[in-house]
Amino acid sequence: MEPRTRAAKTRTRDAEAGTGARAETDVAHVAAAIGDPSRAKVLLALAGGGALPASALAAEAGVSNSTISGHLARLLDARLLTVELDGRHRYYRLATTDVARALEQLALIARPLPVRSLNADTRARALLRARLCYDHLAGRLGVALMDALQERAVLTAERPASGGDDTAPGAVRYVLTPHGRRELTAFGVDTDRLPRRRPSVRYCVDWGEQRHHLAGALGAALTTRMFALDWLRHGTYRRVVRLTDAGREGLTATFGVPADRLS
């Protein structure tokens, strides 16, 4: 059999079995993988976009090194994680930015975890204040920046004439303006060289603020630039970021973020 003919028959068989053009997706399989508390902690530990070894993820999940291997295998099978090899070491990260977006959306409908210690309370407050949602800024600081970008006409929001719920997926379309391109170029973000593999301008509905923060390639580029300028630093806890004094001054002077929203 010719290779092309064999491939065509395989595609036909897969389509008939439901594995070709997908009419429905196996949500239950992914939900079950996320649903275990230990595996959820693994995913959230990686939601800041970094890669971690199994031993660090075991500590985050509160399980033994022998137990974490089964959890990681389940998450890999569900295509929620990928693994990278570095010599004899294996590092795990979220498979795509969409996994991080899905976690953020799930957090919108999830009940808060009980806070039973001072450390947990400090961590929770820090996450609400400023954190990474994979590779872009989230929390109160991310929402404040998103508001300022609209106030400065860097972004414009296009909403349906009928109005509606801004927390619904795709309810708003944000557009980068020509003025915004100039502003961001002056800031050091070349909008013409953003990666083409993902949308330039997207948003997440922030689970803490119930409002939008900037995602997509532009959100990632802005966050990377703020780290490069030492406006942002990684915090004590995973995913948490800390705004520096230079960042407070810079966000107000450059984008007009009100000082009272930077605390």
Side-chain angles (χ1 to χ4, degrees):
M1 183 184 296
E2 292 294 325
R4 184 171 297 179
T5 303
R6 184 164 55 246
K9 288 191 173 184
T10 299
R11 286 194 298 271
T12 300
R13 185 170 60 251
D14 287 347
E16 291 173 351
T19 58
R22 298 180 300 172
E24 295 186 49
T25 55
D26 192 355
V27 173
H29 180 66
V30 174
I34 297 173
D36 179 89
S38 295
R39 291 195 289 273
K41 289 178 182 178
V42 166
L43 293 170
L44 290 173
L46 296 169
L52 294 171
S55 57
L57 293 172
E60 289 285 335
V63 300
S64 66
N65 287 340
S66 58
T67 300
I68 197 65
S69 60
H71 288 308
L72 293 174
R74 183 71 179 274
L75 293 170
L76 287 166
D77 178 66
R79 299 181 182 179
L80 296 170
L81 297 185
T82 59
V83 60
E84 302 168 355
L85 300 179
D86 183 8
R88 294 183 300 171
H89 302 287
R90 296 162 67 88
Y91 293 88
Y92 298 84
R93 68 169 65 246
L94 296 188
T96 66
T97 57
D98 284 335
V99 177
R101 285 172 59 83
L103 293 172
E104 191 82 3
Q105 293 301 303
L106 284 172
L108 285 170
I109 59 174
R111 292 181 298 181
L113 287 170
V115 176
R116 296 191 173 96
S117 69
L118 177 60
N119 184 63
D121 180 68
T122 302
R123 180 178 181 273
R125 291 175 185 274
L127 284 168
L128 288 170
R129 185 167 52 249
R131 67 183 181 277
L132 290 178
C133 177
Y134 198 74
D135 56 5
H136 56 270
L137 186 62
R140 288 197 300 271
L141 184 58
V143 171
L145 176 60
M146 184 68 155
D147 289 346
L149 292 175
Q150 294 175 75
E151 289 289 332
R152 295 285 282 247
V154 173
L155 297 174
T156 58
E158 298 178 351
R159 292 175 169 83
S162 58
D165 182 5
D166 276 6
T167 63
V172 183
R173 178 173 177 262
Y174 290 99
V175 178
L176 179 62
T177 66
H179 164 73
R181 290 182 183 276
R182 293 190 295 271
E183 288 275 302
L184 293 177
T185 298
F187 179 60
V189 174
D190 187 346
T191 58
D192 291 327
R193 301 186 66 179
L194 295 175
R196 302 299 181 188
R197 65 181 181 276
R198 60 193 292 197
S200 295
V201 182
R202 295 183 76 173
Y203 67 87
C204 295
V205 181
D206 194 275
W207 57 261
E209 296 293 295
Q210 304 286 308
R211 298 178 61 204
H212 299 170
H213 64 243
L214 181 63
L218 182 58
L222 269 171
T223 303
T224 298
R225 180 61 176 157
M226 285 188 282
F227 272 112
L229 292 172
D230 197 37
W231 289 13
L232 295 177
R233 294 179 184 173
H234 291 283
T236 304
Y237 304 98
R238 296 199 191 281
R239 291 191 292 154
V240 169
V241 296
R242 181 168 62 85
L243 184 64
T244 66
D245 290 340
R248 288 185 179 85
E249 294 175 6
L251 284 173
T252 299
T254 305
F255 297 115
V257 181
D260 62 0
R261 299 192 66 184
L262 297 176
S263 57

